[in-house]
Amino acid sequence: MTIQINTDNNLSVKDAYEENLNQVLNKELGRFEEYLTRIEVHFSDENADRKTSNDKRCSLEARLKGKQPVVVSHDADTYDEAIAGAARKMKSTLTSIIEKQRGY
């Protein structure tokens, strides 16, 4: 499963943080690896010039084999909270899609 990380102009991801993101996503979504071709991570800061709550956004786009991409997002105070929330939402969404596909 390929993990691609994208950011807006207000953020750059260091190699150590990218490795941490890969670990979080593999832990939460690794069991879906056979169904996925790629996961795209999109980070943005909705209010880069001001300090506000819940202004860090993480959107995850899962590319399922032979199906349309699935997108979820989560807003939080920090990027770590945003990725964790988005990963939980994606896990739930993928579980539903795959269970329907299997006929459960």
Side-chain angles (χ1 to χ4, degrees):
M1 171 173 65
T2 302
I3 298 173
Q4 179 180 339
I5 300 171
N6 304 297
T7 64
D8 67 5
N9 295 334
N10 302 310
L11 177 69
S12 62
V13 176
K14 305 272 190 233
D15 289 340
Y17 192 66
E18 186 173 339
E19 181 59 35
N20 182 48
L21 293 174
N22 286 332
Q23 289 176 357
V24 168
L25 292 173
N26 279 315
K27 178 183 175 191
E28 289 293 325
L29 305 176
R31 70 184 184 118
F32 303 108
E33 188 169 9
E34 68 181 273
Y35 302 99
L36 301 172
T37 59
R38 179 173 71 218
I39 297 281
E40 290 190 29
V41 181
H42 300 273
F43 282 118
S44 61
D45 188 340
E46 300 301 308
N47 295 312
D49 54 343
R50 297 176 292 180
K51 281 281 194 195
T52 60
S53 63
N54 289 337
D55 66 338
K56 309 297 190 257
R57 174 172 286 171
C58 176
S59 297
L60 292 179
E61 180 178 331
R63 302 289 179 115
L64 291 155
K65 294 176 183 174
K67 297 202 176 291
Q68 292 292 319
V70 177
V71 179
V72 299
S73 65
H74 188 78
D75 296 338
D77 290 334
T78 67
Y79 289 110
D80 288 337
E81 292 171 359
I83 187 73
R88 283 190 306 271
K89 288 179 181 179
M90 183 60 76
K91 182 179 180 180
S92 176
T93 300
L94 291 175
T95 298
S96 294
I97 290 170
I98 291 167
E99 284 179 355
K100 285 179 185 174
Q101 181 178 331
R102 289 181 177 170
Y104 291 125

